[in-house]
């Protein structure tokens, strides 16, 4: 009986550690906008946590949700910068959603990635 309780507790501790970033101490960006087209193409907007470095931003963007055969555009905004927020979700199509991120006043992101249909990532740092 004690072994069963130990393994259950160990599982809860592991789940908690994974939920909070694996204990790495590096805060993750907050998602502030998301769009997915009927075809499965995605546009995502995040805000950077305080003190995020370029290497951390690039590593995060390299792991965003992407499916082969689809397009993905994801960006990270600095704290306090205007972003499209939930308006991104209501965009009528992928090109409109992607265009929101490159049009004033929402063009102030600092790190971005475009992942093509073959899965090749093109990082854009401003």
């Amino acid at each position: 009986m004690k072994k069963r309780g130990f393994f259950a507790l160990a599982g809860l501790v592991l789940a908690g550690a994974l939920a909070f970033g694996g204990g790495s101490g590096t805060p993750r960006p907050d998602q502030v906008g998301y769009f997915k087209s009927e075809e499965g193409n995605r546009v995502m907007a995040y805000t950077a946590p305080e003190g995020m470095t370029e290497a951390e931003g690039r590593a995060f963007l390299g792991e965003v949700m992407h499916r082969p055969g689809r397009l993905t555009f994801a960006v990270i905004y600095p704290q306090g910068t205007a972003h499209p927020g939930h308006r991104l979700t209501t965009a009528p199509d992928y090109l409109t959603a992607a265009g929101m991120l490159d049009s004033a006043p929402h063009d102030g992101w600092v790190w971005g990635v475009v992942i093509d249909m073959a899965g090749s990532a093109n990082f854009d740092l401003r």
Side-chain angles (χ1 to χ4, degrees):
M1 196 69 164
K2 285 184 180 181
K3 282 185 180 179
R4 192 177 295 177
F6 172 77
F7 289 117
L9 179 60
L12 288 173
V13 169
L14 178 61
L18 292 173
F20 290 102
S24 67
T26 304
R28 298 181 57 82
D30 291 323
Q31 189 170 61
V32 294
Y34 179 82
F35 171 83
K36 184 176 177 185
S37 72
E38 290 180 14
E39 297 81 19
N41 300 316
R42 291 179 171 86
V43 178
M44 296 169 272
Y46 299 87
T47 55
E50 194 75 29
M52 178 175 238
T53 66
E54 177 181 323
E56 291 167 339
R58 192 179 186 112
F60 176 82
L61 289 171
E63 296 176 3
V64 296
M65 174 64 73
H66 176 75
R67 297 281 184 238
R70 306 294 182 252
L71 299 170
T72 300
F73 182 25
V75 299
I76 301 175
Y77 291 90
Q79 290 288 323
T81 303
H83 55 75
H86 297 295
R87 289 182 297 272
L88 197 57
T89 304
T90 61
D93 55 56
Y94 175 82
L95 290 177
T96 302
M100 284 181 181
L101 303 184
D102 275 334
S103 301
H106 306 123
D107 57 349
W109 51 270
V110 290
W111 303 301
V113 66
V114 174
I115 306 173
D116 66 20
M117 292 183 170
S120 296
N122 181 18
F123 292 93
D124 187 4
L125 309 173
R126 293 182 173 183

